[in-house]
Amino acid sequence: MGAVVEKKAINLRIPGPTPVPPHVLEAMSRPMINHRGPQFAQMIAELTEKLKEFFQTKNDVVILTAAGTGAMEAAVVNTLSPGDKVLAVSIGAFGDRFAEIAEVFGADVVRLDFPPGQAADPEAIGEKLATTSGIKALLVTHNETSTGVTNDLAAISRVARQFNVLILADAISSIGAIDLPVDEWGIDVMVTASQKGWMVPPGLAMASVSPKAWEAHRVAKMPRYYWDFSKAMSYLARGQTPWTPAVSVFFAFMEALKSMNKEGLANIIARHKRVGQYTRAGIRALGLELFADEKHASDTVTAVKVPPGVASKELLKRMREEHGVVLSGGQLQLANVIFRIGHLGHVTEADIDGVLNALKVVLPQMGFQG
Ligand SMILES: *Cc1c(COP(=O)(O)O)cnc(C)c1O
């Protein structure tokens, strides 16, 4: 009791939740409104239309109160039936998750895995589609947050479209930060979530749904209730959601989109490209090695190899406790192999300088000389 807790500014450099600008945080504290009243109706209509611009799509967009994984589940259960054959392309933990969701709901999942740190090979995907009969959908991750790799989704979708399969894409940590023109690339269901590139707290997930996905939806028999896209659309027509939405996160999202509008999508994408390159160059200058294949390194998250002799848990602890820099470890089997730096949403080179400067102090203390 009575102890003075010193509050240092935290440099939150994980790939979500990402830092939220003050004016967006402030919007979260507004009084509640009736989620079935005119003010909410206006807000959801506006937010839905604005999101379409950032998704570069004319497809329908539904906003779900959920984590990103909820939207991944929604993408699967709204378009598929038990027994449907799907090709799940995985380059890491989130690709595996997409495959698992489809398996849980009874899809016949054909897997195509690539080694961690590598991107999926579009040609290999084409070959798999050509040699496996009856594949109805392709599940693919755009930006694999667990390894810091961005798939060439344009090339992958070009191949997949030749086989007329539905393309369900997890773009949770990319869209709004890395270019992903949904219509041009023919993505049937694209999912994302508020706490990644959008500078908004967790709580909302969004999905775009193409006419082809709606066709599939009409005959899709996987069980669904909360995630039903038809329910979401019929309520959206009245300016509502079927279930009580995360109203405060809607307030925040409206505010964040004002900033994003002002900066403009092209500038936002360019900034992430710049900051991504800056991060990788800075890491290399410290004598550290990057985990991801350089040609496919992500502009929203950088995976760094933990140098020999350094314990990653201790490294992250010192960064956090002594420098206020919060980084992510590796997931599952990559726990002691990599650490990850998030640079999506509200981020500039100055935030990365904070990370690099702290690493410069901590690494030699841990015996790494570069
Ligand atoms: C963060 C993330 C998810 C999971 O999102 P949750 O909101 O934690 O459910 C899925 N896929 C990718 C690529 C992600 O970055």
Side-chain angles (χ1 to χ4, degrees):
M1 293 296 286
V4 178
V5 180
E6 198 185 322
K7 279 212 174 153
K8 257 200 277 182
I10 293 293
N11 191 357
L12 184 65
R13 299 269 52 103
I14 63 174
T18 63
V20 178
H23 71 104
V24 177
L25 269 185
E26 257 166 53
M28 292 282 292
S29 66
R30 281 185 209 148
M32 278 306 104
I33 56 170
N34 179 5
H35 67 300
R36 310 230 176 266
Q39 208 180 330
F40 186 83
Q42 196 189 335
M43 184 162 65
I44 193 171
E46 211 178 300
L47 185 55
T48 305
E49 287 312 304
K50 286 249 171 76
L51 284 172
K52 288 181 191 177
E53 290 172 26
F54 282 96
F55 295 173
Q56 303 178 66
T57 189
K58 292 191 163 55
N59 290 342
D60 289 322
V61 166
V62 296
I63 304 173
L64 310 163
T65 287
T69 305
M72 292 166 78
E73 183 173 319
V76 169
V77 300
N78 275 286
T79 57
L80 298 169
S81 299
D84 278 352
K85 203 181 272 184
V86 305
L87 178 61
V89 173
S90 179
I91 61 167
F94 291 110
D96 290 348
R97 184 179 298 184
F98 220 176
E100 276 165 31
I101 293 169
E103 261 158 18
V104 161
F105 285 93
D108 176 5
V109 178
V110 177
R111 296 193 55 144
L112 182 59
D113 296 343
F114 294 88
Q118 302 294 307
D121 173 10
E123 259 179 53
I125 294 172
E127 208 173 287
K128 197 78 178 173
L129 288 168
T131 54
T132 317
S133 63
I135 291 181
K136 196 162 168 215
L138 173 75
L139 309 187
V140 63
T141 319
H142 183 207
N143 184 72
E144 179 49 76
T145 317
S146 70
T147 59
V149 172
T150 307
N151 272 325
D152 186 351
L153 189 55
I156 292 170
S157 70
R158 214 177 297 126
V159 165
R161 276 183 288 170
Q162 290 169 10
F163 296 88
N164 199 33
V165 297
L166 271 180
I167 304 170
L168 312 184
D170 169 358
I172 293 177
S173 64
S174 52
I175 198 154
I178 297 173
D179 196 28
L180 198 189
V182 166
D183 289 357
E184 193 186 318
W185 292 0
I187 307 302
D188 293 299
V189 181
M190 183 284 301
V191 300
T192 181
S194 55
Q195 81 277 18
K196 301 285 172 115
W198 306 98
M199 315 182 285
V200 173
L204 293 177
M206 299 80 80
S208 69
V209 187
S210 75
K212 192 165 146 194
W214 280 120
E215 258 175 57
H217 175 82
R218 276 190 280 278
V219 294
K221 297 248 166 6
M222 279 187 183
R224 56 179 179 265
Y225 188 82
Y226 186 87
W227 304 126
D228 196 327
F229 283 164
S230 309
K231 285 194 187 90
M233 284 308 290
S234 71
Y235 275 82
L236 179 61
R238 290 178 260 156
Q240 295 179 21
T241 52
W243 337 111
T244 311
V247 174
S248 307
V249 189
F250 269 85
F251 289 149
F253 221 134
M254 295 297 286
E255 211 45 51
L257 280 181
K258 273 188 210 160
S259 302
M260 290 181 73
N261 254 337
K262 211 180 282 170
E263 187 176 2
L265 181 59
N267 290 331
I268 294 170
I269 291 167
R271 172 168 54 83
H272 282 86
K273 222 174 231 168
R274 231 176 46 221
V275 171
Q277 278 163 2
Y278 187 81
T279 307
R280 295 189 292 276
I283 286 296
R284 268 198 237 94
L286 291 177
L288 293 166
E289 277 181 56
L290 299 166
F291 182 69
D293 174 0
E294 186 58 28
K295 288 191 299 292
H296 301 282
S298 165
D299 287 328
T300 58
V301 54
T302 294
V304 184
K305 288 186 191 168
V306 178
V310 170
S312 85
K313 221 174 171 176
E314 177 64 20
L315 172 67
L316 297 189
K317 182 168 182 256
R318 289 196 190 194
M319 291 290 285
R320 185 177 68 238
E321 290 182 356
E322 293 162 23
H323 299 273
V325 175
V326 180
L327 303 176
S328 284
Q331 284 159 278
L332 307 168
Q333 68 273 23
L334 293 178
N336 296 306
V337 180
I338 59 171
F339 65 87
R340 293 171 300 149
I341 306 165
H343 35 86
L344 64 169
H346 191 49
V347 62
T348 66
E349 284 89 341
D351 300 303
I352 301 306
D353 283 338
V355 178
L356 298 172
N357 290 336
L359 282 171
K360 218 176 275 173
V361 176
V362 170
L363 283 169
Q365 287 172 348
M366 297 188 69
F368 175 75
Q369 296 310 330

